[in-house]
Amino acid sequence: MKKLTIILTTIFALGGTTALGMATTNSNVEQAELQSNTAVVDTVGAEEDKTQSVTENNTNVSKDSSSDKITEEEAVKIAQNTIDGKLDEVELDTDDGVQVYEVEIDFEGDDYDIKVDAYTGEIRETDDDLLNTPVADEVSISLEEAKKIVSELAPGGNIDDVDLEMKNSRYVYEIEVEVNDEDGDVHIDAETGEVLKIEDDLEKLLEGNSASNEQKNSSESNDNASKDSKGEQISSEEAKEIALAHVGNGKVDDIELDNEDGLLLFEVEVEHNDDDVEVYIDAYTGEVVYVD
């Protein structure tokens, strides 16, 4: 009886220990799963915080960029510093992808449109002639100097029209010139005198004239060099004596100075034994070139 009791007690003890071990194992697994889920939630939360931070940073950058834009009042002041006139209108617009303030100024009865960069404050362009404004007296190159540059560029050309404008943030003379019935514009930097642009058709014409002039000058230079190398031209009397000496005897009936294939010759007609002989003599060397 005691043995049976001991055996049963041992069995119950072992069963309880096993059950307790299984319970403990289940508890550890559940706790690990809970910790894993908590980590996932924390990661998702961190990503959401990061996304929110990037969004806020982009928003702040956008705000900072907008804050760099100058005001309408500043744009008007910049325009009036160029042309001190009355403000007619100002509006924010886009020009070639750049935001600009278009400021319209009334100066002595004429309207001038001035485009001011909305961020840098630079004057990008004016749409009207500035020759009748104070700007014409402020630029480094005068109107007469600009005309002289064009006249040297296109000799013999007639200047039909001149405007002074702001183009790409620089003052430019736009000069219309007529050459050989061909009209075209030449752009001159009003501060440096640099030729900025020549319209295509006019440029081709000027290049053609330049090449022709160079060829002409080269030809004249070669002719002069040729004359210098040959020395002085002989006289007609000397040519007659040379012709008579070459024929032997006779009478000179006629003498002419002619150019044959670029060679200057005396053509001396000599009557010899009832026949006419033509003697061709180099007008520089006195050499008998041929007899006909």
Side-chain angles (χ1 to χ4, degrees):
M1 186 67 178
K2 288 182 180 180
K3 290 181 179 180
L4 180 58
T5 301
I6 292 170
I7 291 170
L8 291 174
T9 301
T10 302
I11 291 172
F12 287 137
L14 290 173
T17 303
T18 302
L20 179 60
M22 292 177 65
T24 301
T25 301
N26 290 337
S27 176
N28 290 338
V29 170
E30 290 175 356
Q31 185 175 1
E33 290 178 351
L34 179 61
Q35 290 176 347
S36 176
N37 291 337
T38 302
V40 171
V41 171
D42 290 343
T43 301
V44 172
E47 290 296 328
E48 290 177 349
D49 291 342
K50 184 177 179 181
T51 301
Q52 183 178 359
S53 176
V54 170
T55 302
E56 289 175 352
N57 286 339
N58 289 339
T59 301
N60 290 334
V61 168
S62 178
K63 289 180 179 178
D64 291 342
S65 296
S66 296
S67 64
D68 289 338
K69 187 185 295 182
I70 66 174
T71 64
E72 282 189 1
E73 291 75 12
E74 290 172 323
V76 170
K77 184 177 181 181
I78 291 169
Q80 289 180 325
N81 282 340
T82 302
I83 302 177
D84 188 14
K86 176 185 175 183
L87 173 65
D88 280 348
E89 185 181 4
V90 58
E91 63 178 0
L92 185 62
D93 200 358
T94 300
D95 181 37
D96 293 333
V98 178
Q99 281 195 310
V100 296
Y101 286 105
E102 291 190 0
V103 185
E104 185 175 318
I105 299 292
D106 183 337
F107 179 76
E108 296 183 355
D110 292 322
D111 291 333
Y112 297 87
D113 291 329
I114 302 173
K115 295 180 181 180
V116 181
D117 191 302
Y119 288 92
T120 66
E122 289 185 354
I123 297 178
R124 290 177 54 83
E125 186 177 335
T126 60
D127 291 338
D128 304 278
D129 183 15
L130 301 174
L131 281 175
N132 294 322
T133 72
V135 173
D137 296 324
E138 295 169 0
V139 293
S140 300
I141 303 298
S142 69
L143 175 59
E144 293 305 316
E145 289 173 321
K147 286 182 177 180
K148 183 179 179 182
I149 292 171
V150 172
S151 295
E152 292 175 351
L153 186 68
N158 295 319
I159 294 176
D160 293 335
D161 191 29
V162 182
D163 287 340
L164 175 62
E165 298 180 4
M166 171 73 80
K167 294 179 181 293
N168 298 321
S169 302
R170 69 169 80 184
Y171 288 116
V172 175
Y173 286 106
E174 185 174 314
I175 302 178
E176 182 181 344
V177 59
E178 179 182 346
V179 180
N180 296 343
D181 297 326
E182 184 72 44
D183 291 330
D185 289 338
V186 180
H187 293 182
I188 306 292
D189 190 308
E191 296 297 342
T192 65
E194 177 187 357
V195 178
L196 301 175
K197 177 184 176 182
I198 304 174
E199 288 190 344
D200 290 343
D201 291 342
L202 180 61
E203 184 174 20
K204 291 176 182 177
L205 179 63
L206 294 178
E207 287 176 351
N209 288 348
S210 177
S212 176
N213 289 335
E214 287 179 2
Q215 185 176 4
K216 181 179 178 181
N217 292 337
S218 175
S219 177
E220 290 176 352
S221 176
N222 290 337
D223 287 345
N224 292 333
S226 177
K227 289 178 181 179
D228 290 341
S229 64
K230 291 179 179 179
E232 292 292 330
Q233 181 177 316
I234 65 173
S235 68
S236 60
E237 292 301 320
E238 289 174 317
K240 289 178 182 180
E241 292 176 2
I242 295 170
L244 290 173
H246 184 78
V247 172
N249 55 54
K251 175 185 177 184
V252 175
D253 287 340
D254 191 23
I255 182 170
E256 293 180 359
L257 184 64
D258 197 8
N259 192 314
E260 290 189 12
D261 299 326
L263 188 64
L264 192 63
L265 301 175
F266 279 108
E267 182 182 336
V268 185
E269 184 179 332
V270 178
E271 184 180 342
H272 176 69
N273 297 334
D274 297 328
D275 288 329
D276 290 333
V277 179
E278 292 180 348
V279 182
Y280 293 85
I281 301 169
D282 189 306
Y284 288 98
T285 64
E287 177 186 356
V288 176
V289 177
Y290 66 95
V291 177
D292 189 8

